[in-house]
Amino acid sequence: MKKRLGTAWPPLAVFAGFIGVWYFYSGVILDEVERNISLPYFHNVVDIAFLDGENRSELLSATWTSAWIAGIGLAIAVALGLFFAVLMSQAKWIERSFYPYAVLLQTIPILALVPVIGLRFGFGIGARVIVVVIISLFPIITNTLFGLKTAEQGHHDLFTLHKASRVTRLFKLQFPSALPAMFTGFQISAGLAVIGEIVGGFFFGRGATDLGNRIQLYAARLRAEELIGAIALSAGLGISVFWFFGFLRNRFTSSWAEANHT
Amino acid sequence: MSFDSVSMVFPDGTHALDDVSFGVDEGEFVTIVGPSGCGKSTILKIASGLLDHTDGSYDLADDNLGYVFQDSTLLPWRTVMKNVELFDELRKGDKSARRANAQRVIETVGLGGFENHHPKRLSGGMRMRVSLARSLTLNPKVFLFDEPFGALDEITRQNLNEEVGRLFKELNFGGLFITHSIPEAVFMSTKVLVMSSRPGRIIDEFDVPFEYPRTAELRYDPEFARLSGEVSKSLAAFH
Ligand SMILES: Nc1ncnc2c1ncn2[C@@H]1O[C@H](COP(=O)(O)OP(=O)(O)OP(=O)(O)O)[C@@H](O)[C@H]1O
Ligand SMILES: [Mg+2]
């Protein structure tokens, strides 16, 4: 417990410094009009966005919507990502056929793709899910594929000596070897999924209201306090999923893996 | 198990083995010493079927084969028990028999009580014991060892040498052992083969007459020192 508190101090100090800079910027550099439309004081943000019951429930419900849409997209991306990674791990020629397109998918700026998705799939929840899938697929594929290939030659030899089938090799050797890398991929993708969901919401307004919708609305109406509140919640959501997958990775690998980061 | 004029040329043209002939019978323990890169591991890979030789003929009487690598090659996510059960599992053995068999060999190598540990919590010597136990589950007629104790400290190594010697006498398998250590070779074997540098050929052969069980005392025997010296000379003469 004591140690935990000890490790909590440095980031808390940074946070305090951050709030200090914020007050300095709002109070000294900005005049009152500028302050009200762009960067209000920290305590005003807390007051209006989080202590006001109505605003708070509006923001929290938007956060919840973002969370489940990102969750659905991420689940689909995990399923697709694992499928393609396993497929590519089975033969070099399959990997060579698909991998360039996985890279391509990664290099297209998601913002450029968004209008196309909207025009084809409408401006509702489905379109947001698609954005999430596209943005979070790549790290899952690459990390899983990398993980599946990290199984040691000596371990492969054992399975060869005992005439293990491809499926046995996959499930008893390659998947377990891949677990740490897989979770790293999930962790990166989970953060991206939240970003993708919010970007999607920014453009696709139909259906349940999420943080992207809220951010767009608050920005248009110059409601700076709520805008900053929504941004803070977006970041909080991203951090939560990142932590969650880090937790899962430790849960499944820390008892045996040699080194653990994060 | 017998090698008859076996040669091995890798696809990239590396000539690893040249006209290698020798045999290992049940109750024989043959050790190969030779300079690094001369093809010792290649011999074991051919013996186990991991590699196909390019010339000559190779015969294995029984494909129930124990194979201990230099590295313990334990699966880190499996406990000691699950690691030892692996081969029976891959061969689809009956589950309760598999567990009983694993328990038995874990006791044999002196690791009772560590069944639920993961490899990362074991010392190097203990990991080698698990690796040994894993192969013992097969009740092999032939046992291949590829420098299994090279990475261990001297005392652990000597203990394991005595332990393998004891198992050899008890189970009467045919052993083919590879090492860089001449004392280890003489201590373990009924016969020592000396290999030349690449392409590897067998250039000398020494019978080791000492009785089993061999104990630590043997290492101070003048005859032991004399034989070790001869093997050493033979190895050096070729460089
Ligand atoms: N797959 C391969 N393709 C080409 N050359 C190989 C291959 N495997 C081994 N060799 C070469 O064959 C030779 C014999 O290799 P091997 O591993 O049998 O040596 P070794 O006697 O076991 O050496 P060490 O004592 O260092 O373990 C080496 O020169 C090595 O570079
Ligand atoms: Mg070798």
Side-chain angles (χ1 to χ4, degrees):
Chain A
M1 192 66 216
K2 207 167 187 177
K3 202 165 171 205
R4 215 161 250 237
L5 217 64
T7 58
W9 272 118
L12 279 180
V14 172
F15 182 71
F18 169 74
I19 299 293
V21 172
W22 179 347
Y23 271 108
F24 175 77
Y25 192 86
S26 303
V28 179
I29 298 192
L30 300 182
D31 64 33
E32 194 178 343
V33 177
E34 287 170 334
R35 179 160 59 240
N36 285 341
I37 61 168
S38 63
L39 192 66
Y41 289 126
F42 174 67
H43 63 266
N44 293 133
V45 171
V46 174
D47 250 7
I48 295 173
F50 296 114
L51 297 182
D52 177 286
E54 205 171 311
N55 286 345
R56 184 177 59 226
S57 64
E58 199 171 270
L59 277 168
L60 289 181
S61 117
T63 307
W64 169 238
T65 304
S66 284
W68 68 257
I69 295 178
I72 291 174
L74 185 63
I76 295 173
V78 166
L80 283 177
L82 292 186
F83 173 78
F84 279 107
V86 167
L87 197 67
M88 286 193 255
S89 75
Q90 292 304 299
K92 202 74 201 163
W93 65 268
I94 306 180
E95 185 184 342
R96 273 206 305 274
S97 313
F98 282 98
Y99 198 75
Y101 300 102
V103 177
L104 199 71
L105 188 71
Q106 175 73 355
T107 56
I108 298 175
I110 196 76
L111 282 179
L113 214 55
V114 161
V116 182
I117 294 168
L119 291 172
R120 178 65 196 86
F121 298 101
F123 294 84
I125 291 172
R128 282 181 245 170
V129 171
I130 291 172
V131 175
V132 172
V133 172
I134 291 175
I135 205 172
S136 56
L137 191 55
F138 185 74
I140 297 175
I141 294 180
T142 47
N143 282 283
T144 306
L145 183 59
F146 168 78
L148 291 173
K149 294 204 266 184
T150 52
E152 287 171 31
Q153 186 56 45
H155 291 157
H156 272 297
D157 286 348
L158 289 180
F159 280 69
T160 308
L161 282 173
H162 296 279
K163 305 185 177 58
S165 66
R166 241 164 212 272
V167 178
T168 306
R169 194 182 290 262
L170 184 65
F171 282 101
K172 297 201 174 189
L173 173 58
Q174 290 176 288
F175 262 124
S177 311
L179 271 183
M182 266 165 69
F183 276 111
T184 302
F186 294 164
Q187 203 174 26
I188 297 167
S189 288
L192 289 174
V194 170
I195 293 174
E197 202 290 324
I198 289 166
V199 170
F202 210 80
F203 289 88
F204 307 136
R206 299 223 185 107
T209 305
D210 64 18
L211 282 171
N213 305 137
R214 284 280 160 225
I215 289 173
Q216 196 218 20
L217 186 92
Y218 295 144
R221 302 210 179 140
L222 305 183
R223 286 162 66 177
E225 291 86 359
E226 288 120 304
L227 177 60
I228 292 170
I231 293 169
L233 285 170
S234 308
L237 186 57
I239 289 170
S240 312
V241 293
F242 188 83
W243 273 346
F244 177 67
F245 279 96
F247 165 79
L248 282 188
R249 183 185 54 210
N250 283 341
R251 173 83 183 61
F252 287 108
T253 67
S254 67
S255 62
W256 56 266
E258 287 294 345
N260 261 301
H261 27 140
T262 319
Chain B
M1 177 180 99
S2 67
F3 277 68
D4 194 9
S5 301
V6 169
S7 292
M8 176 73 200
V9 181
F10 283 105
D12 68 355
T14 308
H15 194 172
L17 297 176
D18 185 40
D19 195 17
V20 169
S21 304
F22 68 93
V24 182
D25 286 332
E26 248 175 72
E28 256 194 310
F29 201 105
V30 177
T31 295
I32 301 177
V33 294
S36 188
C38 71
K40 302 181 296 297
S41 297
T42 305
I43 288 184
L44 295 197
K45 283 181 190 157
I46 291 171
S48 65
L50 280 176
L51 274 179
D52 271 331
H53 56 292
T54 42
D55 211 358
S57 69
Y58 158 66
D59 202 44
L60 183 62
D62 183 315
D63 74 343
N64 208 7
L65 190 91
Y67 194 167
V68 180
F69 301 93
Q70 168 153 23
D71 190 77
S72 64
T73 62
L74 303 179
L75 302 177
W77 53 89
R78 286 183 170 232
T79 60
V80 167
M81 176 56 88
K82 297 290 283 175
N83 263 295
V84 174
E85 283 182 307
L86 179 70
F87 294 167
D88 277 341
E89 194 179 315
L90 293 177
R91 297 178 166 210
K92 313 253 183 306
D94 167 71
K95 203 164 176 181
S96 62
R98 185 203 299 170
R99 176 58 50 104
N101 192 22
Q103 188 65 51
R104 179 181 61 82
V105 295
I106 287 173
E107 307 284 349
T108 304
V109 299
L111 283 179
F114 291 93
E115 291 84 350
N116 295 321
H117 282 51
H118 282 94
K120 96 167 173 185
R121 288 173 59 199
L122 303 179
S123 69
M126 289 160 94
R127 288 181 204 182
M128 276 327 294
R129 283 173 195 271
V130 179
S131 181
L132 202 59
R134 185 175 60 185
S135 282
L136 284 172
T137 58
L138 301 169
N139 259 320
K141 287 280 182 305
V142 176
F143 228 123
L144 310 176
F145 301 87
D146 194 348
E147 289 182 46
F149 310 137
L152 304 179
D153 66 87
E154 197 56 29
I155 299 295
T156 311
R157 182 179 194 146
Q158 291 182 359
N159 285 338
L160 280 164
N161 285 167
E162 281 156 45
E163 190 130 345
V164 170
R166 185 174 59 73
L167 288 169
F168 164 65
K169 225 40 220 170
E170 195 177 307
L171 306 173
N172 205 43
F173 51 73
L176 181 55
F177 193 96
I178 283 171
T179 179
H180 277 125
S181 156
I182 291 168
E184 181 173 68
V186 176
F187 186 83
M188 305 284 298
S189 344
T190 57
K191 188 193 283 177
V192 178
L193 303 178
V194 180
M195 272 180 89
S196 68
S197 52
R198 216 182 66 209
R201 273 173 299 112
I202 296 191
I203 49 170
D204 228 337
E205 183 181 320
F206 297 88
D207 283 315
V208 185
F210 309 117
E211 288 296 314
Y212 291 85
R214 297 178 180 175
T215 57
E217 289 304 305
L218 176 60
R219 296 197 177 86
Y220 311 114
D221 190 308
E223 181 59 16
F224 181 88
R226 195 193 58 78
L227 203 50
S228 300
E230 291 210 6
V231 174
S232 184
K233 261 187 256 168
S234 162
L235 199 53
F238 211 80
H239 284 98

